[in-house]
Amino acid sequence: MARFLVGGDFHLGRSSSIPAFARGEVAGRDLTARGAWYRFVDLAVRERPDAVLLTGDLVDRDFGALAALPPLREGFRRLREAGIPTVVIAGNHDPNILRAYARQYPDDAVFLGRSEPGFATHRLPNGWTVVGWSYPASPDESARVPWSTFPKSLGGRSIGMLHGTLGGGDRYAPFTLTELRDHPTDLWCLGHIHKPYWNPAPAVLYPGAPQALDPGETGPHGAVRMTWKDGGWTHEPVLLSTVRYENTTLTVTESDTIALAVIDQLARLAEEDSVPYWVVRAQVVGEQPAHAAPFDSTPLATSAYAAEFTGVALGAPVDWVATARSLGRDGICAQLYLLATGTHTDQPDLIRPEVRELYQTLTHLRFDAASRKGDSKALNDIYRDPEALRALLADACRGWVRS
């Protein structure tokens, strides 16, 4: 059996993109590529794989590459002290800086292609051979894979490493599945594409970016455990990103407010992933209720939830951010009342009394049963029955302004 931990496209120096209206909510939180790198190293040190394989773009040239070197050095030091072999190739963002790093700190890791212009090989302590090509320095980042330099024979089990675009179509070292098949290894580990991808036969892996960095990088993100046993691979993604971006459709009906549709969607997403922050973009479809219009034009941000609905129309994009604590039953209930009352906080007399009372109970008392008193007993009883509470929430939201 052989075990490998594969990562790439960290882009040290960058952070996840968060809509402007929610930046106060995430202030001080670790949404950085650096944090994902440290979590990756922690995982490797904890699990002690036979090798760590890094498929390029560890550093983001455009976002302060020099500032990224200290965490890179710290991570390599920890991997080396743990006795974990680390093999690295350069990507289109970091060919110069990784080669300079390799000259300065040659013992930190095995940098394939730091001097050779073509494919280079390295034999791991477990007997496997890694063959890889590092992206060359280029003014426009264009490159072609030098297949003519691929070794004639590797002998034994082997893993290939490339940074480029599977399927071609751009200037970033394009290659095809046929070319990978014609240059056989037991596994190809690739970098450059930030969306995770796994093809079992031939075995081809893009681990994807460990930290989702912008709304185009939807779905779960992290590293990948690859285990070779009994002549085949086990592929196991490991979530590392503290942000998850998603695109979805937000359907509203005459009986809904957009607030309720948002809460329903967040509750469904919460069942899929425990990532700390969600950034979701929805297309609004359906029939927009007339009474929802004032809410739909109001930006709103709270300590546990942030949403911006500016000039919402059917078919228009809607962005919102939610934290993990707003996705549980308690958080959903509290945030629904923030949504229900937020538009008219400057006109408290217009808020239905029962909405205001529930809002105060659920938010200011923070669901602490010990702090609820007297007139909140009925609310406590309702709170113990999720269906009854949801019905009350729905009714309150449908008519939250006095008629």
Side-chain angles (χ1 to χ4, degrees):
M1 185 175 74
R3 300 182 303 118
F4 304 92
L5 184 62
V6 188
D9 292 283
F10 284 87
H11 288 272
L12 291 172
R14 288 187 62 184
S15 297
S16 297
S17 173
I18 298 294
F21 67 86
R23 287 173 189 161
E25 157 64 17
V26 300
R29 308 287 179 172
D30 191 352
L31 307 182
T32 65
R34 181 185 63 250
W37 167 244
Y38 285 141
R39 290 189 292 277
F40 177 87
V41 172
D42 289 342
L43 177 67
V45 170
R46 187 166 61 249
E47 298 190 351
R48 305 295 176 102
D50 293 312
V52 162
L53 307 175
L54 299 170
T55 60
D57 280 1
L58 301 187
V59 177
D60 194 288
R61 182 184 57 209
D62 297 328
F63 290 84
L66 293 179
L69 289 181
L72 196 65
R73 185 88 206 278
E74 170 66 12
F76 283 145
R77 180 192 64 78
R78 292 188 59 210
L79 293 170
R80 185 181 69 251
E81 291 179 352
I84 303 170
T86 302
V87 183
V88 185
I89 60 171
N92 57 295
H93 272 261
D94 53 15
N96 290 322
I97 196 163
L98 280 188
R99 286 181 171 90
Y101 186 101
R103 288 192 296 270
Q104 183 70 24
Y105 306 108
D107 298 328
D108 276 10
V110 175
F111 296 89
L112 294 179
R114 67 180 179 184
S115 56
E116 305 91 337
F119 281 90
T121 61
H122 175 75
R123 181 64 62 90
L124 293 170
N126 68 352
W128 284 62
T129 297
V130 182
V131 55
W133 170 72
S134 275
Y135 211 95
S138 169
D140 63 354
E141 299 185 24
S142 63
R144 290 291 181 269
V145 180
W147 290 114
S148 62
T149 67
F150 191 85
K152 300 294 184 185
S153 175
L154 292 171
R157 298 297 177 190
S158 61
I159 295 175
M161 297 175 67
L162 275 179
H163 189 96
T165 308
L166 177 61
D170 63 26
R171 67 179 187 271
Y172 298 104
F175 50 86
T176 65
L177 199 61
T178 298
E179 286 175 315
L180 297 181
R181 189 180 288 112
D182 291 344
H183 299 83
T185 65
D186 292 288
L187 171 67
W188 277 102
C189 295
L190 310 177
H192 185 61
I193 303 301
H194 289 195
K195 185 177 180 63
Y197 168 86
W198 166 239
N199 185 78
V204 176
L205 171 71
Y206 275 106
Q211 178 75 14
L213 296 171
D214 64 58
E217 300 180 7
T218 57
H221 282 261
V224 179
R225 297 186 188 100
M226 295 299 297
T227 303
W228 175 268
K229 185 178 181 182
D230 299 329
W233 289 105
T234 299
H235 163 266
E236 185 182 359
V238 184
L239 298 179
L240 295 176
S241 181
T242 52
V243 171
R244 178 165 169 176
Y245 299 96
E246 284 297 344
N247 298 318
T248 188
T249 299
L250 187 63
T251 303
V252 296
T253 69
E254 282 293 347
S255 61
D256 283 337
T257 64
I258 290 182
L260 283 174
V262 167
I263 297 303
D264 285 339
Q265 184 67 24
L266 288 177
R268 286 192 292 270
L269 292 174
E271 296 175 357
E272 300 177 12
D273 194 344
S274 59
V275 66
Y277 288 91
W278 289 85
V279 179
V280 182
R281 168 158 287 186
Q283 290 297 116
V284 180
V285 298
E287 299 177 1
Q288 191 173 20
H291 65 262
F295 166 74
D296 294 338
S297 61
T298 302
L300 174 69
T302 75
S303 62
Y305 181 89
E308 184 173 44
F309 299 94
T310 305
V312 169
L314 296 183
V318 176
D319 293 342
W320 73 83
V321 174
T323 67
R325 64 183 179 277
S326 72
L327 295 178
R329 186 182 69 181
D330 292 358
I332 287 174
C333 293
Q335 297 316 318
L336 183 53
Y337 278 94
L338 287 172
L339 293 171
T341 62
T343 300
H344 290 279
T345 51
D346 58 337
Q347 304 177 58
D349 290 341
L350 293 179
I351 302 173
R352 285 180 54 177
E354 61 267 36
V355 174
R356 184 168 61 249
E357 182 181 359
L358 284 172
Y359 166 77
Q360 291 170 345
T361 300
L362 294 176
T363 57
H364 295 307
L365 298 183
R366 299 185 181 280
F367 313 105
D368 182 358
S371 67
R372 295 175 183 154
K373 301 176 183 178
D375 57 2
S376 297
K377 183 178 184 306
L379 295 178
N380 288 338
D381 294 339
I382 294 173
Y383 184 71
R384 294 190 185 98
D385 183 347
E387 292 305 317
L389 179 57
R390 180 163 185 79
L392 187 58
L393 290 170
D395 177 68
C397 237
R398 291 188 185 109
W400 49 274
V401 176
R402 288 181 181 179
S403 57

